[in-house]
Amino acid sequence: MDSLKRLTPFIAVAAQLQPADMGTLAAAGFRSVINNRPDGEGEGQPSSAEMQAAAEASGLEYHFLPVVSGQIGDGDVSAFGDLINQVRGPVLAFCRTGTRSTSLWALSEAHHLDPLTILATARDAGYDLTGLAPRLEESWQKAAIRVPQASTPPTQRYDVLVVGGGAAGCAVSASLLRRNPDLRIAIVEPRDQHYYQPGWTLVGGGIFDRARTERAMGRCIPQGAQWIRAAVAGFEPDQQRVVLEDGNRIGYRALIVCPGLTLNWDAIEGLKSTLGKHGVTSNYQFELAPYTWQLVQSLRQGRALFTQPPMPIKCAGAPQKAMYLSCDWWLKEGVLSNIEVDFCSAGAVLFGVPTFVPPLMQYVERYGAHLNFNTTLLAVDGPGHKAWFKQVDAQGNSQEIEKTFDFLHAVPPQRAPEFIRQSPLANADGWVEADHETLRHPRFGNIFSLGDVCAAPNAKTAAAVRKQAPVVAENVLAVLAGKGPRALYDGYGSCPLTVERGKVVLAEFGYGGKLLPTFPLDPAVPRRLAWDLKVKMMPSIYFDMMLRGREWLAEPKRLPHEPLPVEAPAACDFGQDPRK
């Protein structure tokens, strides 16, 4: 619970809690808990009923006061104030990031506390509530009155606003600032930690320590960019504004949307409740990768299942990389012959680029793994060590099959975050619409996207971000200058397939599966050089180069210069593309 912040001796706030945190709160002296987050607001969120049961089991009072993100009304403020006056203290209020709960506290105290005092208290706790200043001041001067959120003007405006502080957000911000250090750039990101996610497969294989893949977000935000520690609730592209969960609106000249994707654990019945126990794990979660390695070491016989959900997913090779590294260990330990290995993929092929299938099949055969294509994980019974799959045959007939397991590495279906899926920026599948080459939104010409949330049909990998970032940076600067985008993205993605300890098949490809190798070597051959690149060099390349705007081997292709017609509008005509 590193996110816990005390506002007063009586009340503290925190980001999303888990049922297991209730005992810790009770031990720390808290007596009441207030949940300000509506049920079903985000993937992986515990229900209010779960939180209440855990709180009461620990002797805590529990109160559910849900408030919709970005829509804190006077009724919500009044209800929060009444509740604070009734509950036993000390009390902890929580929501997704803590901002909503802090905002409720601030507004409920505004009738008798100086707004400057409230804002300073919130700022000391890590929450910037300057967007509430008009409401706080009015309550201070008069009485609490309703201020319609829709009429609240932007309190801040930036040249470039970046939604998401992951690989894509930090990399593109750094690329922009290297090109123009005078830009006013802000990154909206609620998380305190930044992760090098490609390293989690190596953690699950016993090669990396988990700490090597984690850094404080403050160390990753590029120097010169302002970090807005908040969550986005929605978009107002016609007004060129982003709405934060506290109702504050941030204005922009250009917007870059790259919050990543979310893991839909709930799509597989029973999976979330058994993760991290009963032999069920996943390298797709930071906390679980070490458990994968524990399971690999302890398994001496039985059945090991590895699953892959329907596309798109981040790093499409990661599900089978977990299998290869596990099998390599079991082979070296002399126990592989006692373990039945099944790879269950919702796809119809082992890998989407045919060039790399033959070398991968050699390792599938070496490890004696059974391939089950068109096989989608539906449900898991962890205590019973059973899993159920939907399997479709060549004629399109489907059946449900049951498999027992001693080890299950599960990969969940993946989708865009809800605030993206429900936004005017999304396509029919929920991803941010984008021209596949320029990465510009087809309907809002000053909005770009990159990374996992982008609808372009490229592989969702960190390597793709490395090539996308300079493309978006150059095109954003062009649009800000009243010109059309010139930099082009070729769909580059890379998947270093760790087929054994010391060998990697370095799959590099672009749109349509076109091979785009960086080195003049046969890319289908497993190599020690590629292993050294992934294990020894890539973490440094990621943290110290890509996130710092050092674009090693990432020069974008460009359209030839085309002068704008004399009568063409400049910066206002964002919807026009000079190629069309």
Side-chain angles (χ1 to χ4, degrees):
M1 290 189 300
D2 294 338
S3 65
L4 189 151
K5 306 290 184 183
R6 288 191 179 272
L7 301 175
T8 73
F10 182 81
I11 184 169
V13 294
Q16 177 66 57
L17 300 179
Q18 299 297 320
D21 294 327
M22 296 299 106
T24 305
L25 289 178
F30 287 93
R31 302 180 71 184
S32 301
V33 174
I34 300 174
N35 181 358
N36 294 130
R37 195 175 185 192
D39 274 347
E41 188 180 62
E43 290 84 355
Q45 173 188 351
S47 69
S48 176
E50 292 177 281
M51 299 300 293
Q52 180 173 1
E56 292 177 350
S58 297
L60 296 169
E61 286 185 9
Y62 177 84
H63 301 273
F64 187 41
L65 185 63
V67 176
V68 177
S69 178
Q71 300 179 28
I72 301 178
D74 289 339
D76 299 318
V77 176
S78 178
F80 186 84
D82 291 343
L83 186 55
I84 289 296
N85 290 331
Q86 297 169 13
V87 297
R88 299 185 303 159
V91 59
L92 177 77
F94 74 91
C95 57
R96 182 186 175 192
T97 63
T99 302
R100 218 173 316 175
S101 298
T102 305
S103 300
L104 286 165
W105 166 81
L107 292 166
S108 68
E109 296 292 321
H111 64 287
H112 68 89
L113 285 182
D114 184 332
L116 294 179
T117 300
I118 292 175
L119 293 174
T121 300
R123 184 170 57 250
D124 290 344
Y127 297 100
D128 182 358
L129 302 188
T130 52
L132 296 180
R135 293 181 70 180
L136 296 172
E137 183 65 31
E138 188 144 8
S139 295
W140 173 244
Q141 296 294 336
K142 302 177 182 178
I145 61 171
R146 179 176 177 79
V147 179
Q149 292 294 322
S151 65
T152 304
T155 57
Q156 298 163 292
R157 191 168 188 265
Y158 295 90
D159 295 321
V160 182
L161 185 63
V162 180
V163 175
C170 289
V172 73
S173 299
S175 290
L176 280 163
L177 288 166
R178 285 182 72 84
R179 288 167 169 80
N180 184 353
D182 296 327
L183 283 174
R184 293 188 68 247
I185 297 179
I187 300 174
V188 183
E189 173 55 61
R191 297 174 301 173
D192 291 323
Q193 297 299 115
H194 185 108
Y195 297 102
Y196 173 59
Q197 296 183 32
W200 293 350
T201 297
L202 298 175
V203 175
I207 298 152
F208 270 13
D209 181 85
R210 183 176 64 176
R212 192 176 172 188
T213 69
E214 179 184 29
R215 282 192 185 179
M217 185 66 68
R219 294 180 59 193
C220 298
I221 299 292
Q223 186 174 3
Q226 180 177 342
W227 178 18
I228 299 176
R229 298 173 65 175
V232 171
F235 299 89
E236 296 175 342
D238 292 330
Q239 290 77 39
Q240 299 186 14
R241 301 187 303 199
V242 167
V243 185
L244 304 184
E245 69 172 3
D246 62 358
N248 187 20
R249 282 159 167 78
I250 307 295
Y252 58 81
R253 294 176 62 207
L255 175 66
I256 301 174
V257 185
C258 48
L261 51 71
T262 58
L263 307 178
N264 189 11
W265 299 105
D266 290 324
I268 301 171
E269 182 182 349
L271 176 58
K272 188 167 69 172
S273 63
T274 196
L275 282 170
K277 52 190 174 183
H278 308 302
V280 182
T281 189
S282 179
N283 289 340
Y284 274 71
Q285 189 161 312
F286 173 73
E287 294 81 6
L288 292 176
Y291 182 57
T292 301
W293 177 231
Q294 293 176 23
L295 293 177
V296 169
Q297 291 176 290
S298 62
L299 188 67
R300 315 302 289 181
Q301 61 181 5
R303 173 184 274 178
L305 301 181
F306 297 84
T307 75
Q308 179 170 309
M311 295 296 175
I313 64 172
K314 63 174 74 179
C315 191
Q320 59 185 286
K321 287 190 276 188
M323 176 181 69
Y324 298 139
L325 285 175
S326 300
C327 287
D328 178 61
W329 176 263
W330 292 328
L331 181 63
K332 289 178 169 57
E333 289 291 295
V335 298
L336 183 59
S337 60
N338 301 326
I339 300 173
E340 180 182 352
V341 179
D342 278 11
F343 184 67
C344 302
S345 172
V349 295
L350 183 60
F351 196 73
V353 182
T355 299
F356 302 106
V357 173
L360 296 177
M361 281 302 303
Q362 292 180 10
Y363 280 90
V364 169
E365 294 166 2
R366 174 192 291 189
Y367 299 136
H370 306 288
L371 300 180
N372 303 268
F373 295 126
N374 301 307
T375 303
T376 305
L377 181 62
L378 298 176
V380 177
D381 175 6
H385 292 273
K386 295 179 181 179
W388 290 269
F389 297 83
K390 176 184 177 182
Q391 193 170 67
V392 181
D393 63 21
Q395 289 71 45
N397 303 311
S398 65
Q399 62 174 333
E400 186 172 306
I401 61 173
E402 177 184 296
K403 289 179 178 286
T404 60
F405 65 84
D406 299 279
F407 170 106
L408 171 61
H409 181 272
V411 179
Q414 295 161 37
R415 58 186 180 179
E418 184 177 10
F419 76 93
I420 295 293
R421 300 197 307 270
Q422 303 300 324
S423 79
L425 309 184
N427 65 9
D429 295 322
W431 306 97
V432 178
E433 288 187 82
D435 178 273
H436 298 172
E437 291 185 311
T438 65
L439 303 179
R440 183 166 75 162
H441 199 284
R443 291 181 286 113
F444 304 106
N446 62 337
I447 298 179
F448 293 78
S449 67
L450 72 160
D452 294 345
V453 81
C454 180
N458 61 283
K460 296 183 183 299
T461 65
V465 168
R466 187 171 66 85
K467 290 295 188 77
Q468 291 173 335
V471 170
V472 171
E474 292 200 5
N475 288 339
V476 164
L477 291 175
V479 166
L480 290 177
K483 303 174 182 177
R486 291 185 53 242
L488 304 178
Y489 172 57
D490 59 7
Y492 175 88
S494 175
C495 186
L497 293 152
T498 48
V499 290
E500 63 174 298
R501 282 165 177 73
K503 292 287 182 68
V504 164
V505 175
L506 185 57
E508 297 176 283
F509 47 89
Y511 287 139
K514 180 182 179 181
L515 299 185
L516 297 173
T518 299
F519 306 104
L521 301 169
D522 185 348
V525 175
R527 298 183 187 277
R528 178 78 192 194
L529 174 64
W531 170 267
D532 289 340
L533 177 66
K534 178 172 179 59
V535 174
K536 298 179 180 179
M537 298 176 63
M538 283 309 301
S540 179
I541 290 173
Y542 178 85
F543 282 118
D544 302 324
M545 295 183 69
M546 191 175 94
L547 299 192
R548 297 287 178 261
R550 297 181 176 91
E551 297 160 5
W552 178 59
L553 300 176
E555 181 79 9
K557 297 180 180 178
R558 299 177 181 84
L559 288 169
H561 282 284
E562 294 183 27
L564 289 173
V566 173
E567 69 275 11
C572 295
D573 194 3
F574 288 122
Q576 298 299 314
D577 189 324
R579 297 177 296 156
K580 298 180 182 178

